[in-house]
C-alpha cells in the first residue's frame, strides 16, 4: 500500500528515494524488484563521531556452501526483550551513496497501563531528506504500535508527511486479520479514505520485525533462521531468511571498533524483495546495515548525543524562516531604552510569556496577565555607576571552561585571542555602527590601525570590546544556517551566522579568562523592521554583571532585542541554544509601547 499518492513525476521520484532509504533500518521493509530508483542525496556534513561509510560488500555467488537446516523463529512463543531492559532505545544515522540523508529513532517501553506487563509500546521515527534535481525533499514518518511482549501486534498508528502531503493510517489485528484505513490530504485537501485487509496470524512478528527475531534468538555463526515479519513500508507480511556468517572487526561511531557477527538477510513478499547485510552484537542488536540490492544504502547505530544533533538540524531546517510580528512605532537608533509588550495567542501552545522572557542587567520584566508580559530593555554601559542591576555573586565555573563548542583551551585559539586582545584596533571607533569595520583575513593586520594600547588591553572591559570588534572585523556575517559551525571552522571559513559569531566570541573571551555565555532571543530584523527574528549573541561577566556583546555588529548589544535564555554551552548539542527559541515563536506578537 502506498503511503500517499504523488502530484507530479518529481514528487514520485523523491518519494521513492526516501522510501527506499527508510527500508535499510533494522532490515525492515522491502525493495521492489522492478522500477527501483536511486538518486544523489543532498550533501550534508557527517558528524565527526560517525564512521566512514564503506563500499557495498561484494556477494560471492560463484560458489554457495551447503546451507544449514533452517530454524523457524515465530512470534507468540516467548518474550523477545526482558522487562528489566525497558525502555529500550536506539538511534541510527542513514546514508545514501555515502552521504548522510537522515536518522531513525526506535523506542520500546512498557504499556502505559502500569500493571500491564504483557504489552509493549513501540515507537519508530524515520526522518529523511534527498535531493531531487537540486530541490531537497523531506520525508518524516512515525509508527506507533501496541504489541504483546512476544512480538504479536495489537494495533498500529502510522503518520507520514512530505512536501504538502500528509497521511495517517490506523490499523488493528484481530482474529487472524489485519485491517487498516488510510486518510490522506494533499495541499490541505482531503482525499477519499483507503481501506485494506490481509491475513496475519500469531506467528508473524510486528513492527520490531527482524530486530525482535534476532534478540529473541541471537544468531550464532553458521546458523540459518527463518521468520515471517510485518513490512511497514508495504503493509504486508514478508518472509525472512537470516544466514549468520562470521565475526568481523567492525568500525563504529567515535572511531571505535567492535567484533560483530555478520548476518545476511533476505526479506521477500510475493512481489518484492530486499537483500542486506547486518552486523549484530552479542545481544542481537543491529549496529550496522548495508543494502546489498537496490540503492547504496547504509545505516549505523549512533550515540544519542550525535543523533540529537541530526534530529535538531532537521527540525531547524523546518522552522528556519520563522519570525514574530512587530507592531508599534519603531525605536530610533539613538534610543536608550525601549518598552516592549509580548503577547501570545490564546490558541498557541507555549511557555508562559513572563517565564519566557529572561531577566538580566539590561532587561527587566513585568507580568501583565497569563498571555502577556512587558519587558524594558535599556542600553548597556561598560562602566555604569548604577549597581542596582548587578548580578549577585560570582559566575559559575562552567562559564570559564572549555567544551566541544567552546574550545577555549585550544592552543591556536588561545594565541589568537591574546593577539586580538592586545593588537591594534580598527580606526573607526563607532561601536554602534554595524558597518564600521570591513572583513579581513584572520591572519592579516587591519589597514590604518591605531597603535597598541597595552594598558587598556589589560583591562577586562577593554579586552571584551576589542575581541567583539575584532570578530566582527574578521568574520563576515551570513544568514542563519541549519548547520552549526564550531569556532575553529568559523575561523577557517572567515564567515559565519549569528550562532557562529556567538560561539567564537564566547571561546575567545574564555581563552582570555573572562567568563562568557551564549544568549538567545529575538532581534528586530534590520531588513524587515516589522518583524523580529531569531538571534544569538554573547554575554561577558565584567566586574559585577553580565554585559551583552554582539560580534555580528561589533559592539555592545543594543535595545533592539529581547533575551529569552542563556547557556554556558557545556552540552555536546549546539541546537539547545537555538531550537527552544524557535519552538516558542509561533503565536507570539511583540509591540513597541514606548522608547526614549
Amino acid at each position: 500500500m502506498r503511503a500517499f499518492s504523488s502530484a507530479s513525476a518529481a514528487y514520485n521520484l523523491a518519494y521513492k528515494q526516501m522510501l527506499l532509504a527508510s527500508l535499510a533500518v533494522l532490515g525492515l521493509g522491502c525493495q521492489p524488484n522492478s522500477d527501483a530508483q536511486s538518486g544523489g542525496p543532498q550533501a550534508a556534513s557527517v558528524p565527526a563521531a560517525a564512521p566512514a561509510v564503506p563500499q557495498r560488500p561484494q556477494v560471492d555467488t560463484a560458489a554457495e556452501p551447503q546451507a544449514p537446516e533452517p530454524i523457524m523463529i515465530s512470534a507468540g512463543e516467548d518474550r523477545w526483550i526482558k522487562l528489566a531492559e525497558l525502555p529500550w532505545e536506539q538511534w541510527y544515522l542513514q546514508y545514501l551513496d555515502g552521504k548522510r540523508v537522515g536518522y531513525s529513532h526506535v523506542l520500546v517501553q512498557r504499556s502505559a497501563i502500569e500493571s500491564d506487563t504483557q504489552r509493549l509500546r513501540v515507537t519508530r521515527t524515520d526522518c529523511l531528506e534527498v535531493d531531487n534535481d537540486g530541490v531537497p525533499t523531506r520525508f518524516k514518518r512515525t509508527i506507533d504500535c501496541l504489541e504483546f511482549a512476544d512480538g504479536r501486534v495489537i494495533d498500529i498508528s502510522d503518520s507520514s508527511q512530505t512536501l504538502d502531503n500528509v497521511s495517517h493510517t490506523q490499523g488493528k489485528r484481530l482474529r487472524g486479520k489485519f485491517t487498516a484505513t488510510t486518510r490522506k490530504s494533499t495541499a490541505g485537501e482531503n482525499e477519499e479514505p483507503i481501506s485494506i485487509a490481509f491475513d496475519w496470524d500469531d506467528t508473524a512478528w510486528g513492527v520490531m520485525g527482524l530486530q525482535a527475531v534476532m534478540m529473541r534468538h541471537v544468531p550464532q555463526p553458521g546458523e540459518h533462521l527463518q521468520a515471517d515479519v510485518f513490512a511497514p513500508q508495504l503493509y504486508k507480511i514478508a518472509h525472512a531468511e537470516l544466514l549468520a556468517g562470521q565475526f568481523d572487526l567492525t568500525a563504529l561511531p567515535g572511531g571505535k571498533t567492535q567484533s560483530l557477527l555478520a548476518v545476511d538477510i533476505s526479506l521477500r513478499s510475493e512481489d518484492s524483495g530486499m537483500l542486506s547485510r547486518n552486523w549484530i552484537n552479542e545481544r542481537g542488536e543491529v549496529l550496522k546495515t548495508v543494502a546489498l540490492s537496490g540503492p547504496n544504502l547504509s545505516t549505523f547505530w549512533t550515540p544519542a548525543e550525535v543523533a540529537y544533533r541530526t534530529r535538531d538540524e532537521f527540525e531547524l531546517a523546518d522552522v528556519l524562516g520563522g519570525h514574530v510580528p512587530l507592531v508599534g512605532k519603531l525605536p530610533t537608533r539613538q534610543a536608550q531604552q525601549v518598552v516592549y509588550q509580548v503577547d501570545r495567542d490564546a490558541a498557541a501552545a507555549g511557555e508562559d510569556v513572563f517565564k519566557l522572557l529572561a531577566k538580566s542587567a539590561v532587561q527587566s520584566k513585568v507580568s501583565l496577565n497569563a498571555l502577556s508580559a512587558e519587558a524594558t530593555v535599556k542600553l548597556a554601559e561598560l562602566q555604569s555607576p548604577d549597581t542596582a542591576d548587578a548580578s549577585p555573586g560570582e559566575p559559575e565555573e562552567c562559564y570559564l571552561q572549555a567544551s566541544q563548542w567552546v574550545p577555549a583551551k585550544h592552543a591556536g585559539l588561545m594565541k589568537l585571542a591574546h593577539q586580538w586582545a592586545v593588537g591594534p584596533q580598527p580606526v573607526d571607533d563607532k561601536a554602534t555602527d554595524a558597518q564600521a569595520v570591513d572583513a579581513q583575513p584572520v591572519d592579516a593586520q587591519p589597514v590604518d590601525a591605531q597603535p597598541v594600547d597595552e594598558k587598556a588591553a589589560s583591562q577586562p572591559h577593554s579586552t571584551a570590546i576589542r575581541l567583539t570588534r575584532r570578530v566582527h572585523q574578521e568574520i563576515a556575517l551570513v544568514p542563519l544556517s541549519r548547520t552549526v559551525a564550531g569556532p575553529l571552522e568559523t575561523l577557517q571559513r572567515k564567515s559565519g551566522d549569528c550562532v557562529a559569531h556567538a560561539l567564537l566570541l564566547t571561546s575567545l573571551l574564555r581563552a582570555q579568562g573572562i567568563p562568557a555565555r551564549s544568549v538567545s532571543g529575538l532581534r528586530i530584523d534590520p531588513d524587515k523592521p516589522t518583524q523580529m527574528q531569531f538571534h544569538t549573541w554573547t554575554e561577558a561577566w565584567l566586574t559585577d554583571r553580565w554585559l551583552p556583546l554582539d560580534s555580528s555588529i561589533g559592539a555592545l548589544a543594543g535595545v533592539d532585542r529581547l533575551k529569552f535564555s542563556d547557556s554556558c554551552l557545556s552540552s555536546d548539542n549546539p541546537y539547545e541554544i537555538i531550537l527552544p527559541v524557535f519552538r516558542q515563536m509561533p503565536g507570539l506578537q511583540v509591540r513597541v509601547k514606548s522608547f526614549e
Side-chain angles (χ1 to χ4, degrees), residues 426 428 434-441 446 469-470 472-476:
D428 192 338
Q435 304 299 325
V437 186
D438 293 330
Q440 297 287 337
R469 292 176 178 172
R470 193 62 185 266
H472 172 71
Q473 176 191 16
E474 310 291 0
I475 307 300

Side-chain angles (χ1 to χ4, degrees), residues 441-454:
V442 170
D443 56 355
Q445 293 293 327
V447 181
D448 299 327
Q450 295 177 340
V452 176
D453 185 345
E454 295 286 357

Side-chain angles (χ1 to χ4, degrees), residues 366-433:
V366 176
S367 178
L368 301 179
N369 55 57
L371 298 172
S372 300
E374 189 176 276
T376 301
V377 182
K378 61 182 181 180
L379 195 64
E381 298 180 30
L382 278 177
Q383 303 285 357
S384 174
D386 180 15
T387 59
D389 293 325
S391 301
E394 293 293 323
E396 297 177 15
E397 184 65 25
C398 70
Y399 297 111
L400 273 172
Q401 292 175 346
S403 65
Q404 178 178 346
W405 295 98
V406 186
K409 302 303 182 183
H410 185 276
L413 188 136
M414 293 179 69
K415 181 178 179 181
L416 186 65
H418 177 74
Q419 175 186 332
W420 285 4
V422 302
Q425 294 254 1
V427 65
D428 192 338
D429 198 38
K430 295 180 181 179
T432 59
D433 186 353

